[in-house]
């Protein structure tokens, strides 16, 4: 699904008068799984973002038995947001492959570094990497390559 309005799936679909059918998503995922060794799925807005008035993105991941890589916008407030997301995933017995920190460019470096350290200490979840805001494609490619290596272990 792709919507013009950059908002939560429940709102964006409502504004375009389109219903999100989770079975369509599940069928597309299974089709891709049959064709490729690995399938990477990007969710929209977080694990507890609704795609309709009662169901969440996390529900689809659970039904498909998908392991999750949690991508965190690293800024002030990331500790609480991350730990609540991890708790929601763990409560549903969803495998967590690791965490990637997407560093906000105008945030204090001390906060960015401490967020990573304290989340790793508290959660015991593998930190796959940290990505700085950057327009240098080669640097980004190398940063993502390092994360990919960790995921393939």
């Amino acid at each position: 699904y792709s919507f013009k309005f950059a908002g939560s799936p429940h709102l964006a679909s409502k504004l375009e008068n389109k219903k999100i059918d989770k079975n369509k998503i599940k069928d597309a995922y299974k089709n891709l799984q049959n064709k490729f060794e690995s399938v990477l799925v990007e969710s929209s807005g977080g694990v507890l973002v609704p795609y309709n008035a009662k169901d969440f993105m996390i529900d689809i991941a659970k039904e498909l038995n998908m392991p999750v890589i949690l991508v965190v916008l690293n800024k002030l407030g990331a500790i609480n947001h991350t730990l609540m997301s991890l708790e929601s995933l763990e409560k549903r017995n969803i495998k967590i492959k690791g965490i990637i920190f997407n560093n906000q460019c105008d945030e204090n470096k001390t906060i960015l570094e401490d967020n990573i350290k304290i989340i790793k200490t508290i959660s015991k979840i593998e930190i796959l990497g940290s990505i700085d805001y950057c327009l240098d494609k080669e640097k980004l490619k190398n940063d993502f390559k390092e994360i990919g290596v960790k995921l393939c272990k």
Side-chain angles (χ1 to χ4, degrees):
Y1 290 93
S2 179
F3 300 104
K4 292 178 179 102
F5 184 76
S8 175
H10 82 282
L11 178 58
S13 64
K14 181 179 177 183
L15 292 173
E16 293 186 30
N17 202 27
K18 294 179 183 174
K19 182 183 175 198
I20 296 175
D21 178 0
K22 78 173 176 183
N23 290 319
K24 182 178 177 181
I25 296 168
K26 289 168 60 175
D27 290 344
Y29 176 72
K30 289 175 185 174
N31 185 20
L32 290 169
Q33 267 190 317
N34 290 331
K35 292 180 180 179
F36 301 100
E37 183 180 330
S38 297
V39 179
L40 183 66
V41 177
E42 181 181 3
S43 181
S44 179
V47 297
L48 290 178
V49 168
Y51 64 89
N52 62 33
K54 62 182 171 91
D55 299 303
F56 301 97
M57 301 304 287
I58 196 172
D59 299 325
I60 296 172
K62 173 67 176 167
E63 288 181 34
L64 289 169
N65 197 30
M66 289 176 150
V68 170
I69 299 167
L70 188 63
V71 179
V72 175
L73 179 56
N74 195 5
K75 63 177 190 167
L76 185 63
I79 296 169
N80 182 60
H81 174 263
T82 304
L83 295 177
M84 286 192 305
S85 295
L86 292 172
E87 187 175 276
S88 295
L89 291 162
E90 290 167 352
K91 178 180 174 186
R92 289 165 177 82
N93 295 313
I94 295 174
K95 181 179 178 183
I96 304 161
K97 294 204 57 131
I99 301 170
I100 298 172
F101 288 89
N102 188 6
N103 295 332
Q104 186 159 318
C105 63
D106 58 350
E107 187 62 77
N108 181 298
K109 290 282 187 198
T110 303
I111 291 172
L112 297 177
E113 292 167 4
D114 185 66
N115 285 348
I116 295 169
K117 182 178 175 184
I118 195 70
I119 289 168
K120 181 178 182 176
T121 300
I122 292 171
S123 73
K124 310 281 191 277
I125 303 291
E126 181 178 8
I127 305 303
L128 297 169
S130 177
I131 306 292
D132 290 326
Y133 178 83
C134 177
L135 298 177
D136 180 344
K137 290 180 184 176
E138 281 305 309
K139 182 182 180 329
L140 286 172
K141 186 173 147 183
N142 288 330
D143 289 348
F144 278 105
K145 185 176 182 178
E146 290 176 25
I147 291 169
V149 168
K150 287 182 182 178
L151 284 170
C152 292
K153 284 195 244 175

